[in-house]
Amino acid sequence: MARQRGGGAAATPIDASAGGTASRASAAAVGEPVDAAAAVGRLRSDDWLAGEPAHELDGRYRALEATSRTDLDQFASLLLQERGGRLVHATIGLVRDAQRAPLREVDRAALTDLLERALSDAIAAAGWPDAREAIAGLSALTAGLWDAAPLIDRLVPPDSPVTGALVRALDEGAVANLTAFLECARALGPGAVPWLMRLLALAGHER
């Protein structure tokens, strides 16, 4: 093994291909400047750069804090309005908003099911304005092709909770409510006749 003159240790050959890496490592070790943009680019989080200056975050926090009270008050007001609104009305509004975008057949089927459930809730609560609005929404969603038969099939059985609740509402309600119900039933079409016959059989009052 060759030795350096003067008894020094043997010289270790340096791989030229590792020179760049060694130079960068030594520069970092002695505190020499490095490419900050490249270093920050490697420190990415999901939403922001992990190396983002802290003063920008402080400024954004102060801006949010300045408007937070107004935003919270507005949110509380909107929440009360939403909770106080009718479910069918809110559902129809949601469907109308959805119709502004292109809809696939699977989307229309899902929205139709949503409106039918809202219609069932309106019928059970004897909310005839909401029920008529839901029927109109179903007609618009399906270009006038909506068929009430599947809904009627769920209402005809004796154990239907919607029909049971409706019979109680009709028996206890005023004549004006009965007239509004008949207008809504007419909007359901001829397919509603078996259900109407079922209601007549269950009703306790002669009218």
Side-chain angles (χ1 to χ4, degrees):
M1 182 169 61
R3 292 180 177 273
Q4 290 183 343
R5 292 181 182 178
T12 302
I14 298 177
D15 185 356
S17 64
T21 304
S23 301
R24 287 192 295 271
S26 15
V30 299
E32 291 183 8
V34 294
D35 187 350
V40 169
R42 293 191 297 271
L43 298 174
R44 290 199 66 87
S45 178
D46 288 342
D47 301 314
W48 61 81
L49 293 176
E52 188 174 3
H55 65 83
E56 293 186 15
L57 298 178
D58 292 339
R60 293 173 187 176
Y61 175 78
R62 286 193 295 272
L64 289 173
E65 191 176 31
T67 60
S68 61
R69 175 49 53 191
T70 301
D71 294 339
L72 286 173
D73 291 343
Q74 183 179 10
F75 172 77
S77 175
L78 292 174
L79 182 61
L80 287 175
Q81 292 178 17
E82 181 177 341
R83 287 180 174 176
R86 301 190 306 273
L87 177 61
V88 176
H89 184 75
T91 301
I92 292 174
L94 184 150
V95 173
R96 285 175 179 168
D97 289 342
Q99 285 181 278
R100 295 173 184 167
L103 294 176
R104 300 169 300 173
E105 287 303 316
V106 64
D107 299 327
R108 291 187 181 277
L111 293 173
T112 299
D113 180 66
L114 181 63
L115 271 183
E116 285 185 350
R117 283 185 282 146
L119 175 57
S120 294
D121 291 342
I123 291 174
W128 308 123
D130 288 341
R132 288 197 302 271
E133 195 172 358
I135 293 172
L138 285 164
S139 179
L141 182 64
T142 60
L145 300 178
W146 178 67
D147 184 6
L151 174 63
I152 299 301
D153 289 343
R154 294 194 295 270
L155 298 178
V156 168
D159 58 349
S160 168
V162 173
T163 299
L166 175 58
V167 169
R168 290 190 295 272
L170 292 176
D171 279 346
E172 298 169 1
V175 176
N177 292 339
L178 181 59
T179 302
F181 159 68
L182 291 175
E183 292 176 355
C184 180
R186 186 179 297 111
L188 291 174
V193 171
W195 178 53
L196 296 177
M197 298 300 294
R198 181 66 188 167
L199 288 173
L200 286 175
L202 294 175
H205 287 189
E206 183 176 343
R207 61 182 174 81

Short mmCIF file of all heavy atoms in Angstrom, two decimals, residues 57-121:
data_model
loop_
_atom_site.label_atom_id
_atom_site.label_comp_id
_atom_site.label_asym_id
_atom_site.label_seq_id
_atom_site.Cartn_x
_atom_site.Cartn_y
_atom_site.Cartn_z
N LEU A 57 -48.89 34.77 7.70
CA LEU A 57 -49.93 34.07 8.44
C LEU A 57 -50.51 34.95 9.53
O LEU A 57 -51.72 34.95 9.77
CB LEU A 57 -49.35 32.78 9.05
CG LEU A 57 -48.84 31.73 8.06
CD1 LEU A 57 -48.25 30.55 8.80
CD2 LEU A 57 -49.97 31.27 7.15
N ASP A 58 -49.66 35.72 10.20
CA ASP A 58 -50.14 36.62 11.24
C ASP A 58 -51.08 37.66 10.66
O ASP A 58 -52.13 37.98 11.24
CB ASP A 58 -48.96 37.32 11.93
CG ASP A 58 -48.12 36.35 12.75
OD1 ASP A 58 -48.65 35.28 13.11
OD2 ASP A 58 -46.95 36.66 13.03
N GLY A 59 -50.75 38.17 9.49
CA GLY A 59 -51.60 39.18 8.86
C GLY A 59 -52.95 38.61 8.46
O GLY A 59 -53.99 39.26 8.64
N ARG A 60 -52.94 37.41 7.96
CA ARG A 60 -54.20 36.78 7.57
C ARG A 60 -55.07 36.48 8.79
O ARG A 60 -56.29 36.61 8.75
CB ARG A 60 -53.93 35.50 6.79
CG ARG A 60 -53.28 35.76 5.44
CD ARG A 60 -52.87 34.49 4.74
NE ARG A 60 -52.10 34.77 3.54
CZ ARG A 60 -51.55 33.83 2.78
NH1 ARG A 60 -51.69 32.56 3.11
NH2 ARG A 60 -50.85 34.16 1.70
N TYR A 61 -54.43 36.07 9.87
CA TYR A 61 -55.19 35.80 11.10
C TYR A 61 -55.83 37.08 11.63
O TYR A 61 -57.00 37.07 12.03
CB TYR A 61 -54.27 35.21 12.16
CG TYR A 61 -54.95 35.02 13.49
CD1 TYR A 61 -55.80 33.94 13.71
CD2 TYR A 61 -54.75 35.94 14.53
CE1 TYR A 61 -56.44 33.77 14.92
CE2 TYR A 61 -55.40 35.77 15.74
CZ TYR A 61 -56.23 34.68 15.93
OH TYR A 61 -56.87 34.52 17.14
N ARG A 62 -55.09 38.18 11.61
CA ARG A 62 -55.66 39.45 12.07
C ARG A 62 -56.82 39.89 11.19
O ARG A 62 -57.81 40.42 11.68
CB ARG A 62 -54.57 40.52 12.10
CG ARG A 62 -53.57 40.38 13.26
CD ARG A 62 -52.74 41.62 13.42
NE ARG A 62 -51.89 41.87 12.27
CZ ARG A 62 -50.67 41.39 12.12
NH1 ARG A 62 -50.15 40.62 13.07
NH2 ARG A 62 -49.96 41.65 11.04
N ALA A 63 -56.73 39.65 9.87
CA ALA A 63 -57.82 40.02 8.97
C ALA A 63 -59.07 39.19 9.26
O ALA A 63 -60.19 39.70 9.27
CB ALA A 63 -57.39 39.82 7.52
N LEU A 64 -58.89 37.90 9.53
CA LEU A 64 -60.03 37.06 9.88
C LEU A 64 -60.63 37.45 11.22
O LEU A 64 -61.86 37.47 11.40
CB LEU A 64 -59.60 35.59 9.92
CG LEU A 64 -59.29 34.93 8.58
CD1 LEU A 64 -58.71 33.53 8.80
CD2 LEU A 64 -60.55 34.83 7.72
N GLU A 65 -59.77 37.78 12.17
CA GLU A 65 -60.24 38.16 13.50
C GLU A 65 -61.05 39.45 13.44
O GLU A 65 -62.03 39.61 14.17
CB GLU A 65 -59.05 38.32 14.45
CG GLU A 65 -59.42 38.46 15.90
CD GLU A 65 -58.21 38.51 16.80
OE1 GLU A 65 -57.16 39.01 16.34
OE2 GLU A 65 -58.30 38.07 17.95
N ALA A 66 -60.68 40.36 12.55
CA ALA A 66 -61.37 41.64 12.45
C ALA A 66 -62.80 41.47 11.95
O ALA A 66 -63.69 42.25 12.30
CB ALA A 66 -60.59 42.58 11.53
N THR A 67 -63.05 40.46 11.12
CA THR A 67 -64.39 40.27 10.56
C THR A 67 -65.12 39.08 11.19
O THR A 67 -66.25 38.79 10.80
CB THR A 67 -64.29 40.01 9.04
OG1 THR A 67 -63.50 38.83 8.80
CG2 THR A 67 -63.63 41.20 8.33
N SER A 68 -64.51 38.42 12.16
CA SER A 68 -65.09 37.20 12.69
C SER A 68 -66.43 37.44 13.37
O SER A 68 -67.36 36.65 13.22
CB SER A 68 -64.12 36.53 13.67
OG SER A 68 -63.86 37.39 14.76
N ARG A 69 -66.56 38.51 14.13
CA ARG A 69 -67.80 38.76 14.83
C ARG A 69 -68.96 38.96 13.85
O ARG A 69 -70.04 38.38 14.03
CB ARG A 69 -67.64 39.99 15.74
CG ARG A 69 -68.92 40.43 16.45
CD ARG A 69 -69.62 39.27 17.13
NE ARG A 69 -68.76 38.51 18.02
CZ ARG A 69 -69.08 37.36 18.55
NH1 ARG A 69 -70.23 36.78 18.24
NH2 ARG A 69 -68.26 36.73 19.36
N THR A 70 -68.73 39.74 12.81
CA THR A 70 -69.78 39.94 11.80
C THR A 70 -70.12 38.64 11.10
O THR A 70 -71.30 38.32 10.88
CB THR A 70 -69.32 40.98 10.76
OG1 THR A 70 -69.03 42.21 11.43
CG2 THR A 70 -70.40 41.21 9.71
N ASP A 71 -69.11 37.86 10.76
CA ASP A 71 -69.34 36.59 10.08
C ASP A 71 -70.10 35.61 10.96
O ASP A 71 -71.00 34.90 10.49
CB ASP A 71 -68.01 35.97 9.65
CG ASP A 71 -67.30 36.80 8.59
OD1 ASP A 71 -67.98 37.59 7.93
OD2 ASP A 71 -66.08 36.65 8.44
N LEU A 72 -69.77 35.56 12.25
CA LEU A 72 -70.45 34.66 13.17
C LEU A 72 -71.91 35.07 13.36
O LEU A 72 -72.80 34.22 13.40
CB LEU A 72 -69.73 34.64 14.52
CG LEU A 72 -68.40 33.88 14.56
CD1 LEU A 72 -67.71 34.08 15.90
CD2 LEU A 72 -68.62 32.39 14.30
N ASP A 73 -72.16 36.37 13.47
CA ASP A 73 -73.54 36.84 13.61
C ASP A 73 -74.36 36.50 12.37
O ASP A 73 -75.53 36.10 12.47
CB ASP A 73 -73.55 38.36 13.85
CG ASP A 73 -73.00 38.72 15.22
OD1 ASP A 73 -72.92 37.81 16.08
OD2 ASP A 73 -72.63 39.89 15.43
N GLN A 74 -73.76 36.68 11.19
CA GLN A 74 -74.47 36.37 9.95
C GLN A 74 -74.75 34.87 9.86
O GLN A 74 -75.84 34.45 9.45
CB GLN A 74 -73.65 36.83 8.75
CG GLN A 74 -74.34 36.60 7.41
CD GLN A 74 -73.50 37.09 6.24
OE1 GLN A 74 -72.33 37.44 6.41
NE2 GLN A 74 -74.09 37.12 5.08
N PHE A 75 -73.79 34.06 10.26
CA PHE A 75 -73.98 32.61 10.24
C PHE A 75 -75.12 32.20 11.18
O PHE A 75 -75.97 31.37 10.82
CB PHE A 75 -72.69 31.90 10.65
CG PHE A 75 -72.85 30.42 10.84
CD1 PHE A 75 -72.92 29.57 9.75
CD2 PHE A 75 -72.95 29.88 12.12
CE1 PHE A 75 -73.08 28.20 9.93
CE2 PHE A 75 -73.12 28.52 12.29
CZ PHE A 75 -73.18 27.68 11.20
N ALA A 76 -75.15 32.78 12.39
CA ALA A 76 -76.21 32.45 13.34
C ALA A 76 -77.58 32.84 12.80
O ALA A 76 -78.56 32.11 12.95
CB ALA A 76 -75.95 33.14 14.67
N SER A 77 -77.65 33.99 12.13
CA SER A 77 -78.92 34.44 11.56
C SER A 77 -79.40 33.51 10.46
O SER A 77 -80.57 33.11 10.40
CB SER A 77 -78.77 35.87 11.02
OG SER A 77 -79.94 36.29 10.38
N LEU A 78 -78.48 33.12 9.56
CA LEU A 78 -78.84 32.21 8.48
C LEU A 78 -79.23 30.83 9.00
O LEU A 78 -80.13 30.18 8.46
CB LEU A 78 -77.67 32.08 7.50
CG LEU A 78 -77.33 33.33 6.69
CD1 LEU A 78 -76.05 33.11 5.87
CD2 LEU A 78 -78.48 33.72 5.77
N LEU A 79 -78.57 30.41 10.08
CA LEU A 79 -78.89 29.10 10.66
C LEU A 79 -80.31 29.10 11.22
O LEU A 79 -81.06 28.13 11.05
CB LEU A 79 -77.88 28.76 11.75
CG LEU A 79 -78.04 27.40 12.44
CD1 LEU A 79 -77.91 26.27 11.43
CD2 LEU A 79 -77.03 27.24 13.56
N LEU A 80 -80.70 30.17 11.90
CA LEU A 80 -82.05 30.27 12.44
C LEU A 80 -83.09 30.27 11.32
O LEU A 80 -84.14 29.64 11.42
CB LEU A 80 -82.19 31.53 13.29
CG LEU A 80 -81.49 31.49 14.66
CD1 LEU A 80 -81.60 32.84 15.35
CD2 LEU A 80 -82.08 30.40 15.54
N GLN A 81 -82.78 31.00 10.23
CA GLN A 81 -83.70 31.02 9.10
C GLN A 81 -83.86 29.64 8.49
O GLN A 81 -84.97 29.22 8.13
CB GLN A 81 -83.22 32.01 8.04
CG GLN A 81 -83.27 33.47 8.47
CD GLN A 81 -82.73 34.39 7.41
OE1 GLN A 81 -82.60 34.01 6.25
NE2 GLN A 81 -82.39 35.61 7.79
N GLU A 82 -82.75 28.93 8.37
CA GLU A 82 -82.80 27.60 7.77
C GLU A 82 -83.59 26.63 8.64
O GLU A 82 -84.40 25.85 8.15
CB GLU A 82 -81.38 27.09 7.55
CG GLU A 82 -81.32 25.72 6.90
CD GLU A 82 -79.90 25.26 6.64
OE1 GLU A 82 -79.00 26.12 6.61
OE2 GLU A 82 -79.70 24.05 6.47
N ARG A 83 -83.36 26.69 9.96
CA ARG A 83 -84.06 25.78 10.86
C ARG A 83 -85.56 26.11 10.93
O ARG A 83 -86.37 25.23 11.17
CB ARG A 83 -83.45 25.87 12.26
CG ARG A 83 -82.09 25.19 12.35
CD ARG A 83 -81.50 25.29 13.74
NE ARG A 83 -80.28 24.51 13.87
CZ ARG A 83 -79.53 24.49 14.96
NH1 ARG A 83 -79.88 25.21 16.02
NH2 ARG A 83 -78.43 23.76 15.00
N GLY A 84 -85.89 27.37 10.74
CA GLY A 84 -87.28 27.76 10.79
C GLY A 84 -88.03 27.54 9.49
O GLY A 84 -89.25 27.66 9.44
N GLY A 85 -87.30 27.23 8.42
CA GLY A 85 -87.93 27.04 7.12
C GLY A 85 -88.52 25.65 6.97
O GLY A 85 -88.26 24.74 7.74
N ARG A 86 -89.35 25.51 5.95
CA ARG A 86 -89.98 24.22 5.68
C ARG A 86 -89.00 23.32 4.92
O ARG A 86 -88.31 23.75 4.01
CB ARG A 86 -91.26 24.41 4.88
CG ARG A 86 -92.29 25.29 5.57
CD ARG A 86 -93.63 25.23 4.84
NE ARG A 86 -93.51 25.56 3.43
CZ ARG A 86 -93.57 26.79 2.95
NH1 ARG A 86 -93.70 27.81 3.77
NH2 ARG A 86 -93.48 27.01 1.65
N LEU A 87 -88.99 22.07 5.32
CA LEU A 87 -88.06 21.12 4.71
C LEU A 87 -88.34 20.94 3.23
O LEU A 87 -87.41 20.90 2.41
CB LEU A 87 -88.16 19.77 5.43
CG LEU A 87 -87.29 18.65 4.87
CD1 LEU A 87 -85.82 19.03 4.94
CD2 LEU A 87 -87.54 17.34 5.62
N VAL A 88 -89.63 20.84 2.86
CA VAL A 88 -89.96 20.65 1.45
C VAL A 88 -89.50 21.85 0.64
O VAL A 88 -88.94 21.69 -0.47
CB VAL A 88 -91.49 20.44 1.29
CG1 VAL A 88 -91.85 20.35 -0.18
CG2 VAL A 88 -91.92 19.19 2.02
N HIS A 89 -89.70 23.04 1.17
CA HIS A 89 -89.29 24.25 0.46
C HIS A 89 -87.77 24.25 0.25
O HIS A 89 -87.29 24.58 -0.85
CB HIS A 89 -89.72 25.48 1.25
CG HIS A 89 -89.43 26.77 0.57
ND1 HIS A 89 -90.17 27.23 -0.50
CD2 HIS A 89 -88.47 27.70 0.79
CE1 HIS A 89 -89.68 28.39 -0.90
NE2 HIS A 89 -88.64 28.69 -0.14
N ALA A 90 -87.03 23.89 1.29
CA ALA A 90 -85.57 23.84 1.17
C ALA A 90 -85.13 22.77 0.18
O ALA A 90 -84.19 22.97 -0.60
CB ALA A 90 -84.95 23.59 2.54
N THR A 91 -85.81 21.64 0.17
CA THR A 91 -85.47 20.55 -0.74
C THR A 91 -85.70 20.96 -2.18
O THR A 91 -84.87 20.70 -3.07
CB THR A 91 -86.29 19.30 -0.41
OG1 THR A 91 -86.04 18.91 0.94
CG2 THR A 91 -85.93 18.16 -1.35
N ILE A 92 -86.84 21.61 -2.44
CA ILE A 92 -87.14 22.06 -3.80
C ILE A 92 -86.12 23.09 -4.25
O ILE A 92 -85.67 23.09 -5.40
CB ILE A 92 -88.56 22.61 -3.87
CG1 ILE A 92 -89.57 21.47 -3.67
CG2 ILE A 92 -88.82 23.30 -5.21
CD1 ILE A 92 -91.00 21.93 -3.57
N GLY A 93 -85.73 23.98 -3.35
CA GLY A 93 -84.69 24.96 -3.70
C GLY A 93 -83.38 24.29 -4.05
O GLY A 93 -82.69 24.70 -5.00
N LEU A 94 -83.03 23.25 -3.30
CA LEU A 94 -81.80 22.51 -3.60
C LEU A 94 -81.87 21.87 -4.98
O LEU A 94 -80.91 21.90 -5.75
CB LEU A 94 -81.58 21.45 -2.52
CG LEU A 94 -80.30 20.62 -2.58
CD1 LEU A 94 -79.89 20.22 -1.17
CD2 LEU A 94 -80.48 19.36 -3.43
N VAL A 95 -83.03 21.27 -5.30
CA VAL A 95 -83.18 20.62 -6.60
C VAL A 95 -83.11 21.64 -7.73
O VAL A 95 -82.51 21.40 -8.78
CB VAL A 95 -84.50 19.83 -6.65
CG1 VAL A 95 -84.76 19.30 -8.05
CG2 VAL A 95 -84.47 18.68 -5.65
N ARG A 96 -83.72 22.80 -7.53
CA ARG A 96 -83.67 23.84 -8.55
C ARG A 96 -82.24 24.30 -8.79
O ARG A 96 -81.83 24.52 -9.94
CB ARG A 96 -84.54 25.03 -8.12
CG ARG A 96 -86.04 24.78 -8.27
CD ARG A 96 -86.82 25.94 -7.71
NE ARG A 96 -88.26 25.73 -7.87
CZ ARG A 96 -89.18 26.47 -7.27
NH1 ARG A 96 -88.80 27.47 -6.46
NH2 ARG A 96 -90.46 26.22 -7.45
N ASP A 97 -81.48 24.44 -7.72
CA ASP A 97 -80.07 24.82 -7.88
C ASP A 97 -79.30 23.75 -8.65
O ASP A 97 -78.46 24.05 -9.51
CB ASP A 97 -79.42 25.04 -6.51
CG ASP A 97 -79.93 26.29 -5.82
OD1 ASP A 97 -80.50 27.16 -6.52
OD2 ASP A 97 -79.77 26.41 -4.59
N ALA A 98 -79.60 22.48 -8.36
CA ALA A 98 -78.91 21.39 -9.04
C ALA A 98 -79.24 21.36 -10.52
O ALA A 98 -78.40 21.00 -11.36
CB ALA A 98 -79.26 20.05 -8.39
N GLN A 99 -80.46 21.76 -10.88
CA GLN A 99 -80.88 21.71 -12.28
C GLN A 99 -80.18 22.75 -13.15
O GLN A 99 -80.24 22.69 -14.37
CB GLN A 99 -82.40 21.90 -12.37
CG GLN A 99 -83.18 20.68 -11.94
CD GLN A 99 -84.68 20.89 -12.06
OE1 GLN A 99 -85.31 21.47 -11.19
NE2 GLN A 99 -85.25 20.42 -13.16
N ARG A 100 -79.51 23.71 -12.53
CA ARG A 100 -78.78 24.71 -13.31
C ARG A 100 -77.52 24.12 -13.93
O ARG A 100 -76.94 24.72 -14.84
CB ARG A 100 -78.41 25.89 -12.41
CG ARG A 100 -79.64 26.66 -11.92
CD ARG A 100 -79.25 27.71 -10.90
NE ARG A 100 -80.42 28.39 -10.36
CZ ARG A 100 -80.41 29.17 -9.30
NH1 ARG A 100 -79.28 29.38 -8.65
NH2 ARG A 100 -81.52 29.74 -8.88
N ALA A 101 -77.09 22.99 -13.42
CA ALA A 101 -75.91 22.31 -13.97
C ALA A 101 -76.36 21.12 -14.79
O ALA A 101 -77.47 20.61 -14.61
CB ALA A 101 -75.00 21.85 -12.82
N PRO A 102 -75.52 20.67 -15.73
CA PRO A 102 -75.87 19.47 -16.50
C PRO A 102 -76.05 18.26 -15.58
O PRO A 102 -75.24 18.03 -14.69
CB PRO A 102 -74.66 19.28 -17.42
CG PRO A 102 -74.00 20.62 -17.48
CD PRO A 102 -74.24 21.26 -16.15
N LEU A 103 -77.12 17.53 -15.76
CA LEU A 103 -77.44 16.39 -14.91
C LEU A 103 -77.38 15.10 -15.71
O LEU A 103 -77.89 15.03 -16.83
CB LEU A 103 -78.83 16.55 -14.31
CG LEU A 103 -79.04 17.70 -13.33
CD1 LEU A 103 -80.50 17.76 -12.89
CD2 LEU A 103 -78.14 17.55 -12.11
N ARG A 104 -76.76 14.09 -15.12
CA ARG A 104 -76.79 12.76 -15.70
C ARG A 104 -78.08 12.07 -15.26
O ARG A 104 -78.79 12.54 -14.37
CB ARG A 104 -75.58 11.96 -15.22
CG ARG A 104 -74.23 12.57 -15.59
CD ARG A 104 -73.13 11.85 -14.85
NE ARG A 104 -73.31 11.97 -13.41
CZ ARG A 104 -72.57 11.32 -12.51
NH1 ARG A 104 -71.63 10.48 -12.92
NH2 ARG A 104 -72.77 11.49 -11.22
N GLU A 105 -78.38 10.95 -15.89
CA GLU A 105 -79.59 10.22 -15.55
C GLU A 105 -79.56 9.77 -14.09
O GLU A 105 -80.58 9.79 -13.40
CB GLU A 105 -79.76 9.01 -16.47
CG GLU A 105 -80.17 9.38 -17.89
CD GLU A 105 -81.47 10.18 -17.91
OE1 GLU A 105 -82.42 9.81 -17.18
OE2 GLU A 105 -81.53 11.18 -18.65
N VAL A 106 -78.39 9.38 -13.62
CA VAL A 106 -78.28 8.93 -12.23
C VAL A 106 -78.53 10.10 -11.28
O VAL A 106 -79.11 9.93 -10.20
CB VAL A 106 -76.90 8.28 -11.98
CG1 VAL A 106 -75.78 9.29 -12.14
CG2 VAL A 106 -76.86 7.64 -10.60
N ASP A 107 -78.13 11.31 -11.70
CA ASP A 107 -78.39 12.49 -10.87
C ASP A 107 -79.88 12.79 -10.80
O ASP A 107 -80.42 13.09 -9.73
CB ASP A 107 -77.64 13.70 -11.43
CG ASP A 107 -76.14 13.50 -11.44
OD1 ASP A 107 -75.63 12.82 -10.53
OD2 ASP A 107 -75.47 14.01 -12.36
N ARG A 108 -80.55 12.71 -11.95
CA ARG A 108 -81.99 12.97 -11.97
C ARG A 108 -82.75 11.94 -11.14
O ARG A 108 -83.72 12.28 -10.45
CB ARG A 108 -82.50 12.95 -13.42
CG ARG A 108 -82.00 14.12 -14.26
CD ARG A 108 -82.65 14.16 -15.63
NE ARG A 108 -82.15 15.28 -16.40
CZ ARG A 108 -82.61 16.53 -16.30
NH1 ARG A 108 -83.62 16.78 -15.46
NH2 ARG A 108 -82.10 17.50 -17.03
N ALA A 109 -82.29 10.71 -11.18
CA ALA A 109 -82.95 9.67 -10.39
C ALA A 109 -82.80 9.95 -8.90
O ALA A 109 -83.75 9.80 -8.12
CB ALA A 109 -82.37 8.30 -10.74
N ALA A 110 -81.61 10.38 -8.49
CA ALA A 110 -81.37 10.68 -7.07
C ALA A 110 -82.20 11.88 -6.62
O ALA A 110 -82.78 11.88 -5.52
CB ALA A 110 -79.89 10.94 -6.84
N LEU A 111 -82.27 12.92 -7.45
CA LEU A 111 -83.05 14.11 -7.10
C LEU A 111 -84.54 13.80 -7.09
O LEU A 111 -85.29 14.34 -6.26
CB LEU A 111 -82.74 15.25 -8.08
CG LEU A 111 -81.33 15.82 -8.00
CD1 LEU A 111 -81.10 16.82 -9.13
CD2 LEU A 111 -81.09 16.49 -6.65
N THR A 112 -84.99 12.95 -8.00
CA THR A 112 -86.39 12.54 -8.01
C THR A 112 -86.75 11.81 -6.72
O THR A 112 -87.80 12.06 -6.11
CB THR A 112 -86.69 11.64 -9.22
OG1 THR A 112 -86.43 12.38 -10.43
CG2 THR A 112 -88.13 11.19 -9.24
N ASP A 113 -85.88 10.91 -6.29
CA ASP A 113 -86.10 10.19 -5.04
C ASP A 113 -86.15 11.16 -3.86
O ASP A 113 -86.98 11.01 -2.95
CB ASP A 113 -85.00 9.16 -4.84
CG ASP A 113 -85.17 8.37 -3.55
OD1 ASP A 113 -86.15 7.61 -3.45
OD2 ASP A 113 -84.34 8.53 -2.64
N LEU A 114 -85.28 12.16 -3.87
CA LEU A 114 -85.26 13.16 -2.80
C LEU A 114 -86.57 13.94 -2.74
O LEU A 114 -87.16 14.14 -1.67
CB LEU A 114 -84.08 14.12 -3.02
CG LEU A 114 -83.87 15.22 -1.98
CD1 LEU A 114 -83.55 14.61 -0.62
CD2 LEU A 114 -82.76 16.15 -2.42
N LEU A 115 -87.06 14.37 -3.90
CA LEU A 115 -88.32 15.11 -3.93
C LEU A 115 -89.51 14.23 -3.55
O LEU A 115 -90.46 14.70 -2.91
CB LEU A 115 -88.54 15.69 -5.34
CG LEU A 115 -87.96 17.08 -5.61
CD1 LEU A 115 -88.32 17.55 -7.00
CD2 LEU A 115 -88.44 18.09 -4.58
N GLU A 116 -89.49 12.97 -3.93
CA GLU A 116 -90.58 12.07 -3.56
C GLU A 116 -90.64 11.89 -2.04
O GLU A 116 -91.73 11.82 -1.45
CB GLU A 116 -90.42 10.72 -4.25
CG GLU A 116 -90.78 10.76 -5.73
CD GLU A 116 -90.73 9.38 -6.37
OE1 GLU A 116 -90.22 8.45 -5.71
OE2 GLU A 116 -91.19 9.24 -7.51
N ARG A 117 -89.48 11.80 -1.40
CA ARG A 117 -89.47 11.68 0.06
C ARG A 117 -89.99 12.97 0.71
O ARG A 117 -90.70 12.92 1.72
CB ARG A 117 -88.06 11.36 0.55
CG ARG A 117 -87.69 9.89 0.34
CD ARG A 117 -86.36 9.56 0.94
NE ARG A 117 -85.27 10.02 0.09
CZ ARG A 117 -84.09 10.46 0.54
NH1 ARG A 117 -83.87 10.57 1.83
NH2 ARG A 117 -83.16 10.81 -0.30
N ALA A 118 -89.62 14.12 0.12
CA ALA A 118 -90.15 15.38 0.64
C ALA A 118 -91.66 15.45 0.46
O ALA A 118 -92.38 15.96 1.33
CB ALA A 118 -89.46 16.55 -0.07
N LEU A 119 -92.15 14.94 -0.67
CA LEU A 119 -93.59 14.91 -0.91
C LEU A 119 -94.30 14.02 0.12
O LEU A 119 -95.37 14.37 0.63
CB LEU A 119 -93.86 14.42 -2.32
CG LEU A 119 -95.33 14.21 -2.72
CD1 LEU A 119 -96.12 15.50 -2.54
CD2 LEU A 119 -95.42 13.72 -4.16
N SER A 120 -93.71 12.89 0.44
CA SER A 120 -94.28 12.01 1.45
C SER A 120 -94.37 12.72 2.80
O SER A 120 -95.38 12.61 3.51
CB SER A 120 -93.45 10.73 1.59
OG SER A 120 -93.51 9.96 0.41
N ASP A 121 -93.32 13.45 3.16
CA ASP A 121 -93.33 14.19 4.42
C ASP A 121 -94.43 15.25 4.42
O ASP A 121 -95.10 15.46 5.43
CB ASP A 121 -91.98 14.84 4.66
CG ASP A 121 -90.88 13.83 4.94
OD1 ASP A 121 -91.21 12.68 5.29
OD2 ASP A 121 -89.69 14.18 4.81
#
